[in-house]
Amino acid sequence: MKGNEMKSNIPCFISIFVWCTGLVQGSEGRLKAWPLVSLVLLFSTVDFAVVIIANFDTTGLKISLTLLLALTLASVMHFLMSRMKRRLSILLLKLQYLPPSTKERIFSLLMLVIFLIPVAVAMSVTILCDKKITSTAYAFGKEVENQWAQIMLIFFKEYIYFLTYPTFPCLISVLYCTICVRCSYAIRKLTLKISLCSPEQFGPSEQIQVLRYKEKIDEILKITQEIFSVPSFCFIVATSISCYSILGWYLICNAETIQLIEGSTVGVSSFLCLTVTLWTAGTLPVELNKLKDMFYEKTFSRWISFRFLSEENYRNEILNKPYFAFTGCDIISYTRNSVFAIVGALVTYTVLIINMPGL
């Protein structure tokens, strides 16, 4: 995919992200940054595992293993997405046939904000922490004498950890949400177009045009499901586990300032990205049902009002379409009900922890 083609399909920051991370096919002769991205994601996961082993402590072992799982799943997401780069390139090209939504600009700016999160956290931790103790932990138990070396080591480790998780999965989430928003907006516009037609005007040719346009949207949804099914499931698992573990850790342990900064960043980012992703993806089934209802209403109204017996009945062409919702590995359906289920589970989890003996 050529750079100018990609920029015409999706907002600027998102197009830069998918190209730099190697999620789409790049132009020949251009500098490729994705091998470095792959190396950073893999290095942060392995390095964090070694840090846990070198500084083995049963007190925070559960939360450390949870974060290690989240880092691992982030690397898995990148690996799975990079294998689908050709399909994603095709998907982004097909999106040019759908009208862009104004909400996409918000997601593009949100991507820039998310990208700056690891920088802000790394700087905060580096300034506030005990540099000697923290640098020793990050150096696998070996003491670092030089103060500037301590600062650089702490900043680097904090940055790559938070870049891998939660930043990278959240960036993938923004890309996913952008595709969902554009498809939802196209379906909504199509529904509005049908609603503005009178039953007399909504003849066979108009009905066929609607069905052809919907077929384009269905193809985009199908490709999106193929690409994001497994990566989105990894995202749901990583963010859900992070939310629960961080919440439990806060309720049980007395966190220090540094731990509050790190935990709050992981917990809040995970929770917001999880809920926004499920809510945005869950908008599609709602819009598709509205389209089906409107199409049926207009065609049925035309039939009972004018009795055009010679006309073909196209109602079944859209009504017989199976119910559609994005899924993660055909295990979790991304609907708006999923958001309330996760929030409900989080509240239940909180109550159970608070009511545990000894707390």
Side-chain angles (χ1 to χ4, degrees):
M1 177 185 291
K2 295 181 180 179
N4 56 356
E5 288 176 334
M6 186 170 63
K7 289 179 181 178
S8 67
N9 292 326
I10 53 177
C12 177
F13 291 124
I14 297 177
S15 65
I16 294 172
F17 166 70
V18 295
W19 180 80
C20 289
T21 52
L23 301 183
V24 294
Q25 292 178 323
S27 302
E28 295 295 332
R30 295 182 64 177
L31 180 64
K32 294 179 175 62
W34 66 264
L36 179 60
V37 175
S38 302
L39 182 62
V40 168
L41 294 177
L42 181 60
F43 172 79
S44 64
T45 305
V46 175
D47 183 80
F48 191 73
V50 176
V51 168
I52 293 175
I53 296 171
N55 303 278
F56 187 79
D57 181 14
T58 55
T59 305
L61 184 60
K62 291 182 179 179
I63 188 68
S64 297
L65 291 177
T66 300
L67 294 176
L68 177 61
L69 176 61
L71 290 169
T72 305
L73 289 174
S75 300
V76 171
M77 286 176 64
H78 182 265
F79 172 74
L80 294 171
M81 293 286 294
S82 62
R83 292 184 62 189
M84 302 290 287
K85 62 176 65 178
R86 180 176 177 81
R87 296 293 286 166
L88 185 57
S89 301
I90 294 172
L91 172 62
L92 297 180
L93 284 175
K94 287 183 177 294
L95 280 178
Q96 68 184 332
Y97 298 107
L98 303 184
S101 169
T102 53
K103 293 181 180 178
E104 293 178 26
R105 297 178 182 177
I106 299 175
F107 281 120
S108 184
L109 293 175
L110 181 61
M111 180 165 278
L112 178 61
V113 173
I114 293 172
F115 189 77
L116 294 175
I117 287 176
V119 178
V121 174
M123 288 180 63
S124 301
V125 173
T126 304
I127 293 171
L128 297 175
C129 72
D130 186 320
K131 296 173 182 56
K132 185 175 182 179
I133 296 176
T134 306
S135 62
T136 301
Y138 282 155
F140 316 124
K142 296 181 179 179
E143 187 175 339
V144 180
E145 298 294 342
N146 187 278
Q147 187 175 6
W148 284 108
Q150 293 175 355
I151 294 172
M152 292 176 63
L153 177 63
I154 296 169
F155 181 86
F156 174 72
K157 290 290 184 78
E158 288 286 333
Y159 178 77
I160 63 170
Y161 292 158
F162 278 89
L163 181 66
T164 302
Y165 187 87
T167 301
F168 181 75
C170 287
L171 294 175
I172 294 293
S173 171
V174 172
L175 171 62
Y176 187 54
C177 288
T178 301
I179 297 170
C180 293
V181 164
R182 180 166 292 197
C183 292
S184 298
Y185 181 68
I187 297 169
R188 196 178 307 118
K189 285 197 69 174
L190 185 59
T191 305
L192 179 62
K193 182 179 178 181
I194 297 172
S195 68
L196 295 176
C197 284
S198 65
E200 185 178 4
Q201 293 173 328
F202 198 58
S205 60
E206 286 75 16
Q207 294 174 30
I208 291 174
Q209 286 180 4
V210 169
L211 293 175
R212 285 177 177 172
Y213 190 74
K214 184 180 180 296
E215 189 63 30
K216 291 181 180 179
I217 298 174
D218 289 341
E219 186 179 3
I220 291 173
L221 295 178
K222 180 182 177 182
I223 297 174
T224 304
Q225 173 63 20
E226 291 175 2
I227 295 171
F228 288 93
S229 177
V230 182
S232 64
F233 180 75
C234 294
F235 169 79
I236 297 297
V237 172
T239 51
S240 299
I241 292 177
S242 297
C243 288
Y244 296 142
S245 60
I246 292 294
L247 177 62
W249 178 56
Y250 274 156
L251 293 174
I252 294 175
C253 303
N254 295 321
E256 298 177 357
T257 304
I258 304 300
Q259 295 172 330
L260 283 172
I261 293 173
E262 295 176 331
S264 299
T265 303
V266 173
V268 173
S269 299
S270 299
F271 180 75
L272 289 178
C273 282
L274 178 61
T275 53
V276 170
T277 301
L278 290 176
W279 185 266
T280 306
T283 304
L284 278 164
V286 176
E287 296 297 338
L288 286 170
N289 286 332
K290 288 181 180 179
L291 175 61
K292 285 184 179 182
D293 293 342
M294 183 56 65
F295 189 91
Y296 176 81
E297 179 184 325
K298 288 295 179 180
T299 52
F300 184 73
S301 215
R302 177 180 173 82
W303 182 77
I304 63 174
S305 299
F306 302 102
R307 296 281 182 173
F308 293 130
L309 299 178
S310 59
E311 287 185 5
E312 290 189 48
N313 184 2
Y314 292 106
R315 291 196 298 273
N316 292 332
E317 294 294 330
I318 195 168
L319 292 176
N320 290 339
K321 284 280 187 179
Y323 173 82
F324 177 85
F326 284 128
T327 64
C329 296
D330 293 325
I331 298 175
I332 304 175
S333 293
Y334 303 154
T335 62
R336 289 181 173 179
N337 292 334
S338 303
V339 179
F340 295 103
I342 289 174
V343 173
L346 194 61
V347 172
T348 304
Y349 183 77
T350 304
V351 173
L352 288 174
I353 291 178
I354 292 176
N355 292 329
M356 284 178 63
L359 291 182

